[in-house]
């Protein structure tokens, strides 16, 4: 029987003990054990447990739990009357034990008191016999232990549920972060290359009649940019461990006559995530200079110092206007912030200057 209920083995173990004691008493002629009724009652009790656990593998609804609790209590009392060994009375501890899972501690304690009162009422002159007093004491201990065991089992179950919910929350947050990363990568990669393709195709259209050679070169450059876009989309799903900033920047500005690149320093001592953030910032800066600022000259400078890495993208355009609040810049700020850096943007009618600064790994 597969169930996620706490301590599902308690009831079967007690039933097996009662059955063994009843058979032993019947064989030796101890007491007045009615073995067929005892065996039948225990079978009914086990069948009720199995049916409930299969129908409600985690938690039984309260109305159903109340009805089943009443049925079990009647079976416990009936089994106690047909068991000559007297051990069947131990099944009464299952009343508060079972009730704890459905109704909580207060109800379980109340039912334990009721069970003890029923046991005392059904034991005449118990105070005059040491054996009967001992039996009642043992029953009391059993009720206390049953409630304590149920409390521990419930805490363990609730803790497991909270842990599962925590894992689910972490997984959802991780998935959201990954979706945001993929969204930024797609925006940066495709946005940059699509902008370049549009500019080149516009150039080809403008020079188609006057300078066919220039128009043909522009079309070829647009084709190369489209191929680079396809390659970078594929690359965005790979690990960043093989990322090389200088090679990526060289490829980024290749064939773009209006973009100059200056690099100083060494990438050693800088996290891959930081270098990747600088590359994405350069990509976004170039794209925005073309798309929003109508720039004719764009200067990209990277300084990889011992204490920090700095990227600067400056253009001679008309400014970015409302693009400052665009998704691309928002994604850039998020990426740089995750690397522990900051983004500074100054945009006027005479040009835009984007500066990204990220501390080195050993000083971050």
């Amino acid at each position: 029987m597969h169930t996620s209920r706490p301590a599902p083995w308690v009831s079967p173990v007690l039933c097996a003990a009662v059955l063994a004691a009843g058979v032993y008493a019947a064989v030796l002629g101890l007491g007045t054990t009615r073995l067929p009724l005892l065996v039948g009652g225990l079978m009914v009790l086990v069948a009720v447990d199995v049916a409930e656990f299969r129908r409600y593998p985690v938690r039984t609804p309260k109305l159903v739990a109340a009805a089943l609790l009443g049925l079990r209590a009647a079976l416990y009392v009936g089994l106690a009357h047909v068991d000559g060994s007297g051990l069947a009375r131990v099944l009464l501890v299952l009343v508060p034990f079972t009730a704890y899972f459905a109704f909580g501690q207060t109800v379980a304690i109340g039912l334990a008191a009721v069970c003890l009162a029923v046991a005392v009422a059904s034991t005449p002159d118990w105070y005059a016999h040491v054996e009967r007093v001992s039996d009642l004491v043992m029953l009391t201990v059993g009720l206390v232990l049953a409630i304590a065991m149920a409390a521990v089992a419930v805490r363990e179950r609730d803790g497991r549920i909270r842990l599962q919910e925590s894992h689910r929350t972490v997984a959802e947050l991780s998935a959201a972060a990954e979706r945001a990363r993929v969204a930024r990568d797609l925006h940066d990669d495709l946005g940059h290359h699509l902008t370049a393709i549009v500019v080149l195709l516009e150039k080809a259209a403008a020079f188609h009649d006057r300078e066919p050679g220039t128009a043909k070169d522009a079309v070829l450059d647009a084709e190369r940019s489209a191929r680079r876009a396809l390659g970078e989309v594929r690359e965005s799903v790979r690990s960043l461990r093989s990322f090389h900033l200088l090679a990526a920047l060289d490829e980024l500005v290749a064939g773009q006559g209006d973009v100059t690149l200056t690099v100083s320093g060494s990438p050693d001592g800088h996290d891959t995530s930081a270098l990747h953030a600088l590359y994405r910032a350069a990509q976004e800066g170039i794209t925005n200079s073309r798309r929003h600022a109508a720039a004719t000259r764009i200067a990209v400078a990277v300084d990889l110092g011992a204490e920090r890495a700095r990227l600067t993208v400056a253009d001679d355009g008309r400014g970015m206007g409302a693009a400052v609040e665009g998704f691309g810049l928002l994604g850039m700020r998020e990426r740089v912030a995750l690397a522990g850096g900051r983004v500074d943007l100054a945009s006027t009618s005479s040009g835009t200057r984007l500066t990204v600064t990220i501390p080195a790994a050993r000083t971050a």
Side-chain angles (χ1 to χ4, degrees), residues 31 41 56 142 258 297 323 336:
Y56 305 105
D258 57 342
R297 291 193 303 274
V336 172

Side-chain angles (χ1 to χ4, degrees), residues 232-267:
E232 290 188 8
V233 168
R234 290 171 177 170
E235 187 67 22
S236 66
V237 299
R238 298 176 185 171
S239 171
L240 299 181
R241 294 176 181 174
S242 60
F243 178 75
H244 300 286
L245 176 63
L246 304 185
L249 289 174
D250 287 337
E251 184 178 356
L252 178 65
V253 303
Q256 302 186 45
D258 57 342
V259 181
T260 60
L261 173 65
T262 304
V263 179
S264 61
S266 170

Side-chain angles (χ1 to χ4, degrees), residues 273-299:
S273 60
L275 299 178
H276 197 266
L278 291 179
Y279 172 75
R280 293 302 189 188
Q283 217 175 25
E284 181 66 19
I286 294 173
T287 298
N288 286 336
S289 294
R290 283 207 179 99
R291 180 184 297 168
H292 304 292
T296 59
R297 291 193 303 274
I298 304 172

Side-chain angles (χ1 to χ4, degrees), residues 193-194 197 220-232:
H193 288 293
L194 289 177
I197 291 170
L220 292 176
D221 289 340
E223 180 186 0
R224 284 192 289 270
S225 185
R227 294 184 182 276
R228 284 198 298 270
L230 179 60
E232 290 188 8

Side-chain angles (χ1 to χ4, degrees), residues 97-185:
F97 180 80
T98 306
Y100 200 113
F101 301 125
F103 307 106
Q105 182 178 12
T106 302
V107 174
I109 293 175
L111 289 176
V114 171
C115 290
L116 183 59
V118 170
V120 170
S122 62
T123 308
D125 299 329
W126 58 270
Y127 48 84
H129 302 277
V130 176
E131 296 83 359
R132 295 177 182 178
V133 172
S134 178
D135 289 343
L136 291 175
V137 170
M138 293 304 297
L139 178 61
T140 303
V141 172
L143 291 169
V144 172
L145 290 178
I147 293 175
M149 183 185 297
V152 172
V154 167
R155 282 197 295 269
E156 188 274 337
R157 179 194 65 188
D158 293 344
R160 185 171 63 251
I161 292 174
R162 286 194 296 268
L163 182 61
Q164 292 172 350
E165 292 176 349
S166 176
H167 287 169
R168 186 161 50 249
T169 301
V170 170
E172 291 173 354
L173 291 176
S174 298
E178 183 64 13
R179 286 195 296 270
R181 183 193 69 80
V182 172
R184 289 194 298 265
D185 287 351

